[in-house]
């Protein structure tokens, strides 16, 4: 019996069997962006994908194809990039905020139309986007029978790297490097660390990265898997309590209406739609100036 939980690699009979056992869908999100010279650029989505696969193997459900396109380049993401990446070619797969969340809405529509009882969206990319994800799911929940939950992966590991909640979330530091090392060892190469004390931004490498430990990463993955399994169980329990007698899939036209009438008016209040003060906008000669300001009418 194959132990496959990745949607795109499963045969229809396997998908039906997995769905019958546990009608939960896992959506891993992230993007390609600089994560230091020691990590593959897809760290965020690779990490979320790996955690979702481990959670589905242990607790059930189906892992949908990961989304490697996520918010960046606008607002505080742009100033962060200027400060931590600088002008190096970033190999980034960024989407505008409004586009990203509309795609999420359509992804949920697809899951709901298939009949899933619960959807868990796990973002491996940080910054304020996960707050907006929770807000979006709150706005959309009344429109779907399926129960929705979204979180950044570090919410599922409050003990963090040191087990005492000190290193919980970072960017390409000890936390992210250890997690990727545990999940995708071929995507971490510590021989690529810059020389100790060498000045520079080092492609947004975290200061703590050299402390990374693959086995601690494995423990953190196990913590996340346990948390997610519990969460999936709760969502299925809630669904069972409120399950409608009959379910009808939403059409694309209905999603467009919900987007225009329900989500749209709330979009300007999303954290990722905030502009930075004029004096913080990157200088003329910075590549991060291009999209820093949210275009008129979008926010
Ligand atoms: Zn990251």
């Amino acid at each position: 019996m194959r132990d496959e939980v990745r949607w795109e690699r499963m045969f229809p009979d396997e998908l039906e069997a997995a769905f019958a056992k546990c009608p939960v869908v896992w959506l891993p999100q992230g993007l390609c962006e600089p994560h230091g010279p020691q990590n593959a650029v897809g760290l965020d989505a690779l990490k979320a994908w790996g955690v979702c696969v481990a959670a589905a193997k242990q607790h059930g459900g189906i892992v949908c194809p990961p989304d490697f396109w996520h918010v960046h380049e606008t607002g505080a993401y742009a100033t962060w990039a200027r400060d931590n990446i600088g002008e190096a070619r970033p190999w980034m797969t960024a989407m505008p905020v409004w586009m990203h969340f509309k795609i999420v809405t359509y992804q949920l529509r697809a899951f709901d139309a298939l009949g899933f009882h619960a959807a868990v969206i796990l973002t491996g990319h940080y910054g304020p986007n996960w707050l907006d994800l929770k807000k979006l799911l709150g706005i959309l929940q009344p429109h779907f029978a399926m129960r929705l939950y979204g979180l950044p992966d570090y919410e599922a590991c409050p003990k963090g790297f040191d087990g005492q909640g000190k290193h919980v979330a970072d960017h390409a530091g000890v936390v992210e490097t250890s997690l990727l090392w545990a999940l995708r060892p071929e995507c971490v190469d510590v021989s690529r660390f810059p020389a100790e004390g060498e000045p520079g931004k080092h492609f947004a490498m975290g200061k703590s990265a050299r402390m990374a430990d693959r086995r601690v990463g494995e423990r953190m993955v196990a913590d996340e898997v346990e948390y997610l399994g519990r969460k999936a169980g709760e969502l299925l329990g809630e669904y069972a309590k409120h399950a409608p007698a009959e379910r009808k899939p939403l059409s694309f036209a209905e999603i467009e209406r919900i987007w225009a009438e329900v989500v749209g008016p709330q979009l300007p209040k999303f954290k990722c739609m905030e502009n930075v003060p004029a004096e913080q906008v990157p200088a003329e000669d910075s590549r991060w100036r291009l999209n820093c300001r949210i275009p008129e009418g979008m926010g």
Side-chain angles (χ1 to χ4, degrees):
M1 177 72 182
R2 295 196 325 141
D3 184 23
E4 186 56 79
V5 293
R6 291 168 295 181
W7 183 328
E8 72 281 1
R9 287 168 180 256
M10 295 167 79
F11 297 101
D13 62 298
E14 291 177 322
L15 285 159
E16 289 297 334
F19 180 90
K21 242 164 114 185
C22 179
V24 172
V25 59
W26 306 90
L27 168 57
Q29 291 180 334
L31 84 167
C32 294
E33 66 163 327
H35 274 89
Q38 82 281 15
N39 292 313
V41 294
L43 188 151
D44 290 348
L46 290 168
K47 171 185 59 166
W49 194 12
V51 169
C52 285
V53 167
K57 282 194 174 173
Q58 191 151 332
H59 301 288
I62 296 164
V63 182
C64 101
D67 189 346
F68 272 86
W69 298 82
H70 213 313
V71 301
H72 220 307
E73 296 194 39
T74 48
Y77 284 104
T79 54
W80 177 91
R82 172 197 58 198
D83 299 341
N84 292 279
I85 302 168
E87 300 307 316
R89 193 199 305 265
W91 299 109
M92 196 177 263
T93 51
M95 294 288 275
V97 182
W98 52 96
M99 188 83 84
H100 166 75
F101 285 114
K102 192 163 186 184
I103 290 171
V104 172
T105 305
Y106 270 107
Q107 288 165 332
L108 293 173
R109 188 216 71 89
F111 303 151
D112 190 65
L114 287 166
F116 281 104
H117 294 189
V120 180
I121 304 184
L122 187 71
T123 175
H125 177 41
Y126 306 154
N129 73 73
W130 64 270
L131 293 163
D132 292 340
L133 174 65
K134 286 183 186 278
K135 191 177 175 79
L136 176 76
L137 300 187
I139 295 168
L140 291 175
Q141 183 64 82
H143 301 274
F144 291 112
M146 174 182 77
R147 306 307 298 176
L148 311 176
Y149 195 74
L151 71 162
D153 68 280
Y154 68 81
E155 178 190 309
C157 185
K159 282 193 288 180
F161 175 83
D162 61 355
Q164 288 166 47
K166 199 167 145 236
H167 291 285
V168 174
D170 62 20
H171 181 88
V174 62
V175 176
E176 282 203 318
T177 305
S178 300
L179 282 168
L180 187 62
W181 206 353
L183 291 160
R184 294 284 179 269
E186 73 281 12
C187 293
V188 175
D189 182 355
V190 294
S191 77
R192 285 180 151 90
F193 276 135
E196 226 29 280
E198 191 185 310
K201 298 186 193 298
H202 305 305
F203 217 50
M205 181 178 111
K207 287 197 177 23
S208 60
R210 283 191 174 82
M211 284 159 50
D213 184 311
R214 183 181 55 76
R215 287 181 301 170
V216 178
E218 286 172 356
R219 194 223 82 223
M220 293 171 78
V221 170
D223 286 359
E224 294 198 18
V225 165
E226 193 199 329
Y227 180 98
L228 289 167
R230 219 170 35 239
K231 190 54 78 178
E234 285 167 22
L235 293 170
L236 289 175
E238 278 170 43
Y239 179 85
K241 260 193 266 158
H242 305 285
E246 210 191 333
R247 277 179 64 168
K248 244 179 84 208
L250 293 176
S251 66
F252 290 168
E254 281 163 308
I255 291 294
E256 288 296 329
R257 186 193 61 76
I258 291 168
W259 184 262
E261 293 173 14
V262 186
V263 184
Q266 304 247 41
L267 205 55
K269 288 188 226 139
F270 279 37
K271 286 266 169 215
C272 293
M273 294 297 280
E274 278 175 21
N275 272 314
V276 295
E279 66 275 14
Q280 285 178 28
V281 171
E284 294 276 359
D285 60 349
S286 170
R287 67 162 72 234
W288 303 110
R289 186 183 177 89
L290 187 67
N291 291 312
C292 185
R293 306 294 293 181
I294 309 276
E296 283 295 321
M298 303 313 298

